[in-house]
Amino acid sequence: MYMTNAIACRYLQDAFNVPLVIQLTDDEKFLWKDLKAEETHRLAYENAKDIIACGFDMSKTFIFSDIDYISHCTEFYYNIIKIQKCVTFSQARAIFGFQDSDNIGKISFPAIQAAPSFSNSFPHIFGKKFDIMCLIPCAIDQDPYFRMTRDAAPKLHYPKPALVHSVFFPALQGPKSKMSASDANSSIFLTDTDEQIATKINKYAFSGGKDTVDEHRKTGGNTEIDVSYQYLTFFMDDDERLAKIKEDYESGKMLTSELKRELIGIMQKLASDHRTKRAAVTDDVVKQFMTPRSMGFED
């Protein structure tokens, strides 16, 4: 889960006072990556600490690992196999682009990601209710999974889940590049130090400014392609300040170095605050979030 998705989920939880279920697809990582199953399972618990550090309400939040929950909840597995029976291999191949060389685990996985869309996959939260509507905030690359889910839902007499798509963050190198966990300089990580954040932004953040100071002062910068400004639209809470930065940068009053300085300060504080909060998340706290339990929504 990206930080922006976590922030959006927490806002929705607070605004609507609803239960939040967060699926950790440790099985997917095992099937797609060159990692042992035990390692992807361990990483899921580390990811849970990052999620919990975003400030979710434990009384209304259930986080689960697929590897753990499939063995715990029969109702969840029932929904998985029901979905699998609704989707042909031909359909799955058309949706996800599976090849003959793909392992069969990849082919069966979409049903596992789809099953949490239905409330009766979580009897400890919703009892036997199967008609609770589900809202899924997700990145646009997850859309194929839930288009498949929406197609399967009527066949199972379940309500179709609704989606809120988040846009992709541009990589630091610009809108035509792509973030990658294997390229440490393509993005800013919550584990980065203040020095690393400053270096990444100053050295790699694609600029919409001009080649010289004189030219920039005369014609201004382009906020549409400037990565530092694009990041500020996600993380700067002060809309008036953001509008002033846009005006000053586009007019040439603000230089690229000054714009980057604005972003560096915000990102350093965000990462520092997160590291502090994550350090306070103990294994016992993780266990509480990941233990199936009633949340008072059964009635």
Side-chain angles (χ1 to χ4, degrees), residues 9-10 13 18-22 56 60-63 125 137 295:
C9 286
R10 182 184 171 186
Q13 183 183 63
V18 291
L20 172 66
V21 174
I22 299 174
F56 292 107
K60 296 193 291 284
T61 305
F62 174 52
I63 304 172
I125 301 176
M295 295 181 181

Side-chain angles (χ1 to χ4, degrees), residues 130-131 152-159:
F130 61 87
D131 56 353
K155 301 174 185 177
L156 301 174
H157 307 290
Y158 293 157

Side-chain angles (χ1 to χ4, degrees), residues 48-194:
K49 292 180 180 179
D50 283 312
I51 294 168
I52 293 166
C54 293
F56 292 107
D57 183 346
M58 184 188 294
S59 69
K60 296 193 291 284
T61 305
F62 174 52
I63 304 172
F64 72 95
S65 139
D66 281 344
I67 291 175
D68 288 339
Y69 195 58
I70 287 176
S71 64
H72 173 86
C73 184
T74 303
E75 291 84 353
F76 181 52
Y77 187 65
Y78 275 150
N79 275 336
I80 290 171
I81 60 175
K82 288 176 183 178
I83 296 164
Q84 288 171 343
K85 194 170 183 178
C86 287
V87 182
T88 67
F89 173 65
S90 177
Q91 290 172 320
R93 183 170 53 190
I95 296 169
F96 301 102
F98 293 130
Q99 303 296 317
D100 290 344
S101 59
D102 284 322
N103 64 67
I104 60 174
K106 290 183 179 181
I107 298 165
S108 65
F109 173 76
I112 301 174
Q113 181 155 326
S117 303
F118 306 127
S119 57
N120 58 354
S121 289
F122 306 100
H124 59 281
I125 301 176
F126 301 107
K128 295 183 179 180
K129 294 178 182 177
F130 61 87
D131 56 353
I132 304 295
M133 295 296 296
C134 177
L135 176 64
I136 305 171
C138 63
I140 188 67
D141 64 334
Q142 299 301 299
D143 182 69
Y145 288 98
F146 298 114
R147 280 191 290 112
M148 182 202 76
T149 307
R150 286 173 57 83
D151 288 343
K155 301 174 185 177
L156 301 174
H157 307 290
Y158 293 157
K160 293 183 178 182
L163 308 181
V164 176
H165 288 147
S166 62
V167 298
F168 278 131
F169 256 47
L172 287 173
Q173 287 76 10
K176 292 184 179 180
S177 58
K178 184 179 179 182
M179 278 189 181
S180 171
S182 61
D183 182 0
N185 294 320
S186 68
S187 57
I188 297 169
F189 298 99
L190 292 170
T191 53
D192 286 343
T193 64
D194 287 353

